[in-house]
Every structure is written in structure tokens, then in C-alpha cells.
Amino acid sequence: MFEQQYGRKEEFFLERHALTTAKEILQQPVLWKRLAELLKNQQSEINAFMEELPPLCQLRIILTGAGSSAFIGESLQAMLLRTIGLRTEAVATTDIVSAPESHLADVPTLLVSFSRSGESAESMEALKLATKHIKKLYNLVAVCKKSSTLEKLAKDTSATLVLDMPEGSSDLGFAMTSSVSCMILGTYAVLSALNADDFGIYIRLIADSAEKEFKSMDELAQKIAAFQYDRIVYLGSGGLKGLAHEGAIKSLELTNGKVNASYETPMGFRHGPKAVLNNTTLTVHFISPIQKTQLYDLDLLNEVVLQKRANRQAALVPIGCDTPDMVDYVFYYELMGQKYAELTAYLKGLLFLQLLSLEKSMLSGTPTDNPNPSGEVNRIVQGVIIH
């Protein structure tokens, strides 16, 4: 399976200190299917917790985490409002901790916490601060490590649902990969009040589709990584803006800063950030499956193509969407209908950015599984002083 999908033996990745990350990217469709079973098994507990809450429309819902965990909230906020009209707020734990009075108010609140390890100082302090500032607080915790400190703390403070994540989703590599995709799928299901059996059908379909597209997606990632770019800009709108943010941090992390990475919306890119374009810039365009948004995404892609010099563009595009002829790299992915279109675009885009970051990391000579051996940047953040 590994050699078939990557076209190279495990030894190739082991020599480049990238085997753990490569395996954790590859395993995601399998973990999604396990998550579908966990959601089904936990359905009664989920229902009981949701029935205990006031109606969601009467709650302030904060989606929180740090780094990649925070970017999940950025995408989820946009998706939930568009699909079911649910208002949520993405507020990073790092913002809550440093300026709690700017982000917390004493109104009934559902705090949705995302964490791979459940051990970061910011996650726990954010929960403590929320408990201090909010009388009616409810917790939904998506944490990939079993029996984490965050899980215990949440259960000790107020009514809490800990969402079961599949074994293996607590990534051992430096980069968050499986943890991101599993946490967004699980919380999307809970906050959208989806029936686990029905949503499980979608999960299995997207998992099969991702497995089918994986090999060709990685082959394209290899080709793109061979372009000697030292600047990369990820561009996404709506629910894909948070995905673009995730792409930037993955590229930055896994090359240990050798590639200067940033993100923007296509509309926002013209307002100054477009100055980043030079001969060694790669722009990655996540083209939205939402019709109106897609038009704006394509406008910017066409503009960058028409004005390009030696810089290059990569576009991730749903099948059936036309792109300009001169785009350097295009991957057309299966959308599987409109019901979960933006979530599908997110998951396919997530796989792609992970693969591109992996391939560029190896080509840059960076030890992917631990890209900062000096310890200045860590898998679980260190050096945080709580005041």
C-alpha cells in the first residue's frame, strides 16, 4: 500500500527522516472510516449532551485551539454558517490567554477545544480562564491523545463531551496531519447535528475517493516541489481560508523556514500581499466549489496567470470547473455532490498541502519528522509562561 501510493519504498523516506510523517498523511482515509464507527458508537452520548445544552442558536460558540488546531476553527466557522446558519467564533487559545477580557464575556458559552495532545499550556489556561469568566460554560473537546490533561480538566469544570478520536490520530511526527482531518470531521458532525449513520456514508465515500486520488496527487506534489520556489502563498475563500492558513504553517514548519510561506483570500491578495510575487514564488489556489465564490477565485487565478513571469501557480479544482490554460499545475478532484462540497474541498486540499509540504521538506534536506532539531520550535509548544 505504501509503496504503491508513494511510488517509493519506505527506506527512501526513512533516509530523509520523513517516514513517520509520510505514513501519517497516508493513513488518513483509513482513520476517517474508523472515525465514522466511533461517531456511530458515541451517538447516544452525543445526543444526550446536545439535549442538555440550550439551543445552539442561544449560545455563544467559541472554536479554539493553537496553531493548526486554531485554523480548524477558522474553516469550521465559515462552513457552519453557510451550511446550517450556525454562528460560531474562531478565537485562538493564544489570543484568549494573552487578552482574556478582549475575548471572553459572561454569556452562556459552548467552548469547542481542538488539541492534538491535550497538553499545551495555552489550551489548559484558556479553559481555566473561560471557567473564571463564564458562569454557564459547556465544553466540547476534540483531543486526539487519550486521557489527556485537557480532557480531565474540562470534565472537572463543567458539562463536557469529549469526542472520541481514532487511535493513531495523535500524530507522532512534528506536523499535525491526521489530527487535523479527524478533528474537523468529528466536530462538523456534532455541531451540524448530523445522524452518524448518514454522515458515515459520506465519510466512507470521501475516504475511498481520497485513496483513489492519493497517488496522482502526490505525483503532482513531487513535480511542484521540484520548482525551486522559496516563497509560497496559499489562497482560499470562505471555508478554505482556514485551509490556506494551514497550508502556510505546514510549509513553514516542514522546511524549517527555508520556504517563506503566507496565506490570503484571493480577494484580499490584491490589497498589498500580491507584492510578494517574484520569479521564485509559487501560489497555491484552492478553488471553491461554491459557485459565486468560485468566480472570484478564478478571477484572481486568471489575473496571476496573465501577469506571471517565472513564478508559478498550482490550483486544486473540483472536476467540472474550467481553469485558465496557462496554469502551471492543476489537480482536478472528485467533489461527490454539493451537500458537503466545501468540506470535501477542504479535505482534498488538506491532503494536497500536506503532500506538497512533505515533498518540499525532503527536497530541501530538512528532517521532516523533526524539522527543527535544535528545539527552538517543538511538536508540543514549550517556553510558554502563564502570567
Side-chain angles (χ1 to χ4, degrees):
M1 176 69 169
F2 184 96
E3 186 175 346
Q4 178 185 353
Q5 292 287 54
Y6 278 114
R8 290 153 290 179
K9 295 181 182 294
E10 289 189 7
E11 288 75 14
F12 176 90
F13 294 86
L14 185 62
E15 290 169 0
R16 289 156 180 80
H17 307 281
L19 183 58
T20 298
T21 303
K23 285 183 173 180
E24 289 175 341
I25 295 171
L26 178 62
Q27 73 178 355
Q28 287 173 99
V30 173
L31 294 193
W32 300 346
K33 292 178 182 179
R34 292 179 189 165
L35 176 64
E37 291 303 311
L38 290 173
L39 287 170
K40 182 178 179 180
N41 294 339
Q42 204 178 4
Q43 182 79 75
S44 297
E45 184 184 356
I46 293 170
N47 291 346
F49 175 75
M50 298 304 283
E51 288 169 5
E52 182 182 347
L53 301 181
L56 292 184
C57 63
Q58 296 177 16
L59 287 171
R60 184 186 185 202
I61 303 173
I62 298 176
L63 310 172
T64 194
S68 293
S69 295
F71 311 151
I72 294 171
E74 292 175 2
S75 283
L76 201 55
Q77 174 184 324
M79 289 185 202
L80 292 171
L81 185 60
R82 193 188 66 78
T83 55
I84 62 170
L86 182 64
R87 291 178 298 169
T88 61
E89 299 171 55
V91 185
T93 55
T94 47
D95 291 336
I96 292 172
V97 171
S98 61
E101 290 81 8
S102 299
H103 301 289
L104 300 175
D106 188 13
V107 295
T109 299
L110 173 62
L111 186 69
V112 183
S113 299
F114 301 102
S115 178
R116 171 171 63 177
S117 67
E119 302 298 337
S120 71
E122 298 101 326
S123 293
M124 284 171 287
E125 182 64 12
L127 179 54
K128 291 175 184 176
L129 288 167
T131 304
K132 177 181 177 182
H133 284 79
I134 302 166
K135 293 186 183 70
K136 290 188 177 180
L137 179 69
Y138 308 90
N139 290 303
L140 172 57
V141 178
V143 61
C144 298
K145 178 189 170 189
K146 304 297 182 186
S147 304
S148 67
T149 305
L150 179 63
E151 174 183 338
K152 182 179 185 303
L153 182 62
K155 288 179 176 177
D156 288 345
T157 56
S158 57
T160 296
L161 171 67
V162 177
L163 200 55
D164 290 339
M165 291 288 113
E167 191 72 35
S169 61
S170 183
D171 319 289
L172 299 178
F174 183 94
M176 289 181 64
T177 52
S178 299
S179 51
V180 174
S181 60
C182 288
M183 286 193 286
I184 196 169
L185 271 170
T187 48
Y188 183 95
V190 172
L191 293 174
S192 300
L194 297 175
N195 177 274
D197 286 325
D198 294 340
F199 193 56
I201 294 171
Y202 164 74
I203 291 177
R204 284 183 280 275
L205 286 172
I206 181 101
D208 289 342
S209 178
E211 287 178 338
K212 182 177 67 175
E213 293 173 346
F214 191 97
K215 181 177 175 60
S216 55
M217 192 180 282
D218 184 59
E219 288 171 348
L220 181 61
Q222 290 179 60
K223 290 178 183 177
I224 298 171
F227 168 50
Q228 293 184 359
Y229 62 88
D230 57 14
R231 299 180 182 186
I232 186 169
V233 185
Y234 282 91
L235 298 156
S237 304
L240 305 186
K241 181 182 178 183
L243 178 67
H245 202 169
E246 173 65 9
I249 199 67
K250 278 292 162 289
S251 182
L252 199 60
E253 286 175 336
L254 293 187
T255 64
N256 198 27
K258 294 172 186 173
V259 175
N260 191 345
S262 58
Y263 78 102
E264 246 306 343
T265 62
M267 292 287 284
F269 191 56
R270 296 184 181 94
H271 292 260
K274 192 178 172 188
V276 74
L277 295 178
N278 66 7
N279 289 341
T280 55
T281 304
L282 173 71
T283 50
V284 179
H285 302 252
F286 294 124
I287 304 300
S288 175
I290 311 305
Q291 188 173 16
K292 182 172 183 177
T293 307
Q294 185 179 101
L295 295 173
Y296 289 104
D297 292 348
L298 291 172
D299 283 348
L300 189 277
L301 175 59
N302 188 60
E303 180 179 314
V304 174
V305 167
L306 290 175
Q307 296 175 355
K308 74 175 178 179
R309 300 178 292 275
N311 56 296
R312 297 190 185 180
Q313 311 78 39
L316 216 70
V317 184
I319 291 172
C321 172
D322 294 328
T323 57
D325 294 334
M326 295 173 63
V327 179
D328 295 291
Y329 314 101
V330 181
F331 188 86
Y332 292 99
Y333 63 86
E334 184 181 21
L335 194 57
M336 304 178 305
Q338 285 295 317
K339 187 173 183 180
Y340 302 116
E342 204 167 25
L343 182 59
T344 298
Y346 177 96
L347 292 168
K348 298 290 183 74
L350 185 66
L351 277 177
F352 175 77
L353 71 84
Q354 291 169 354
L355 288 169
L356 179 57
S357 300
L358 166 69
E359 298 293 350
K360 192 64 174 180
S361 176
M362 291 192 295
L363 272 179
S364 73
T366 308
T368 310
D369 292 336
N370 183 24
N372 192 280
S374 66
E376 293 167 359
V377 183
N378 303 280
R379 178 179 173 273
I380 300 175
V381 169
Q382 298 177 20
V384 178
I385 300 171
I386 301 300
H387 298 285

